[in-house]
Amino acid sequence: MTDRSRGAQDNIRHRFMSREVEADTGGWDLPEWLTEDAPRLLTEVTTVSPRSVISRNQSPDIPFAQSINPYQGCEHGCVYCFARPSHAYHDLNPGLDFESRIIAKPTAAEVLRRELGKRGYQVQPLAIAPNTDAWQPVEARLGITRSILQVMVQTRHPCVAITKSRLVLRDLDLLRDLAQDNLLRIMVSLTSLDPALKRSLEPRAAGPQARLQVIETLADAGIAVGCLLAPVIPAINDGEIEAILAAARDAGANRAGWILLRLPHEVAPLFEAWLQQQFPQRAEHVMSLIRQSRGGKNYSAEFSQRQRGTGVYAQLLDQRFRVACRKLGLDSGSYTSDDLCTSLFQPPRPDTPQGSLF
């Protein structure tokens, strides 16, 4: 049974699972209407109250040192999402659970204010939701990301964000406020200009034209916006590199970056199942090109390889990307902390009458 509005078509055994549960019909034959198409899987949201929301990293290939993720799991259902394996840490499955059982942090803004107000806090750009989209559908109801942006505005804290959702335009007032003081950069993820391929790869994300409209609207509002071509999938969307960059530039993007498909842990079998279903005649060739770019494996987590890969094919992709950016007048690479202002930061004041006296 499959729900075609989802990216993964099933849950799979994950690396921390100690037992498996298998459906048993008791010997009865299921009626035909139950075996063709399953009812749409509803999204379930669980809330948590973390003591800390700022995550820090020292990875040399990541252009930010700290980040905040309002949600774990993502309704967009992108079959290739590198963040899927993180659901296993919560004893949830990286397959359907990742896109239908969302963990939300409704107190994130409150905890963030507390962390930013700690003595000795050193301001540096904060990446908003680098793992799962901060403006995924559930955000329209919960508004956690908007509350985080309000803290960014109040404290004049620099931030960067990546999204593939047009819901980001709901917060245009806050984004414009940050951008006018050079406190914000946004990258809009574009995977394909083909609506059919987008629906298959990213079933619940905004379509290509909607994302280009997001870029245009943000740029018109004076916000520095770039295009992130991610992921580049060999023999699937690699032929669109030049067209995607041109469309993004025409919409108003001033920068672009790219990332080669990443298949850590459970993402590999999920992606291969999708590949066999959608492109059975091409599947072997796609995986061969991936392994050529990953040292003979499905994936390499080494800092020097995980974003771009290695080998002749990966080098060819990078050359095409750089040539296209040069011809289009696009800066290549993601935004870095050097692009943003840090001198305007104002630590939040305690929410007490006594605090306002000092």
Side-chain angles (χ1 to χ4, degrees):
M1 294 186 291
T2 61
D3 180 348
R4 293 174 185 172
S5 71
R6 297 291 180 175
Q9 293 306 306
D10 204 348
N11 275 327
I12 63 172
R13 183 176 180 84
H14 62 76
R15 61 198 184 284
F16 302 126
M17 185 181 289
S18 59
R19 63 179 180 176
E20 290 185 80
V21 178
E22 186 173 315
D24 184 0
T25 65
W28 291 87
D29 290 330
L30 292 175
E32 184 177 336
W33 63 271
L34 271 180
T35 60
E36 289 183 347
D37 279 321
R40 292 213 165 183
L41 186 63
L42 299 179
T43 298
E44 175 185 327
V45 179
T46 301
T47 61
V48 295
S49 300
R51 288 181 294 179
S52 174
V53 292
I54 297 179
S55 299
R56 293 179 171 83
N57 78 85
Q58 296 179 334
S59 303
D61 60 347
I62 296 179
F64 53 83
Q66 56 182 15
S67 61
I68 179 171
N69 287 288
Y71 304 99
Q72 292 170 275
C74 185
E75 285 185 277
H76 284 159
C78 305
V79 71
Y80 55 75
C81 183
F82 72 90
R84 282 182 178 271
S86 64
H87 243 43
Y89 291 109
H90 303 279
D91 199 24
L92 295 173
N93 201 280
L96 284 175
D97 283 353
F98 177 79
E99 52 196 275
S100 64
R101 301 179 67 179
I102 309 301
I103 300 172
K105 305 172 186 177
T107 61
E110 175 187 336
V111 177
L112 177 62
R113 282 182 60 86
R114 186 165 64 243
E115 291 188 87
L116 297 183
K118 287 182 178 179
R119 181 174 298 179
Y121 173 76
Q122 297 294 316
V123 61
Q124 51 188 322
L126 186 73
I128 298 176
N131 290 339
T132 56
D133 205 310
W135 288 276
Q136 61 177 285
V138 70
E139 165 64 16
R141 175 166 58 90
L142 298 182
I144 301 173
T145 300
R146 183 170 176 84
S147 67
I148 290 172
L149 286 174
Q150 288 170 337
V151 174
M152 298 288 100
V153 168
Q154 292 162 6
T155 60
R156 311 316 290 169
H157 196 293
C159 56
V160 296
I162 301 172
T163 187
K164 59 185 64 171
S165 173
R166 57 186 165 190
L167 182 60
V168 67
L169 298 181
R170 176 204 62 185
D171 299 325
L172 196 59
D173 57 330
L174 301 176
L175 301 175
R176 187 186 290 113
D177 190 333
L178 289 167
Q180 69 183 3
D181 282 336
N182 192 30
L183 296 170
L184 175 70
R185 300 287 186 271
I186 294 183
M187 297 290 280
V188 175
S189 173
L190 268 172
T191 310
S192 175
L193 298 178
D194 179 357
L197 179 58
K198 193 289 310 178
R199 282 193 297 271
S200 177
L201 274 172
E202 309 160 329
R204 294 191 170 204
Q209 289 305 313
R211 294 188 215 183
L212 291 172
Q213 289 171 5
V214 167
I215 291 175
E216 182 176 5
T217 302
L218 293 174
D220 288 347
I223 297 167
V225 57
C227 163
L228 184 61
L229 208 172
V232 174
I233 306 175
I236 298 295
N237 70 343
D238 57 349
E240 296 188 69
I241 290 175
E242 292 80 5
I244 290 174
L245 293 176
R249 191 280 311 269
D250 291 346
N254 64 1
R255 179 177 290 269
W258 77 280
I259 297 174
L260 183 66
L261 175 68
R262 298 172 59 182
L263 298 176
H265 301 298
E266 295 87 359
V267 184
L270 285 168
F271 176 77
E272 289 191 73
W274 172 86
L275 200 56
Q276 288 291 345
Q277 182 183 63
Q278 300 294 326
F279 298 96
Q281 296 180 333
R282 211 183 307 176
E284 185 177 344
H285 179 54
V286 172
M287 294 308 300
S288 174
L289 290 173
I290 290 171
R291 294 185 185 109
Q292 288 176 38
S293 304
R294 297 296 188 186
K297 299 179 290 186
N298 285 339
Y299 181 59
S300 171
E302 293 182 28
F303 291 141
S304 60
Q305 299 181 18
R306 62 179 182 174
Q307 303 283 10
R308 301 292 175 81
T310 59
V312 174
Y313 178 76
Q315 291 172 4
L316 177 61
L317 290 179
D318 193 55
Q319 289 172 6
R320 285 178 53 196
F321 172 82
R322 292 182 183 279
V323 168
C325 284
R326 187 164 60 249
K327 289 182 177 179
L328 294 166
L330 289 167
D331 291 332
S332 60
S334 299
Y335 292 111
T336 67
S337 57
D338 295 336
D339 297 307
L340 294 169
C341 175
T342 58
S343 61
L344 299 178
F345 176 64
Q346 303 169 5
R349 294 179 178 179
D351 294 326
T352 63
Q354 292 85 353
S356 63
L357 297 177
F358 298 96

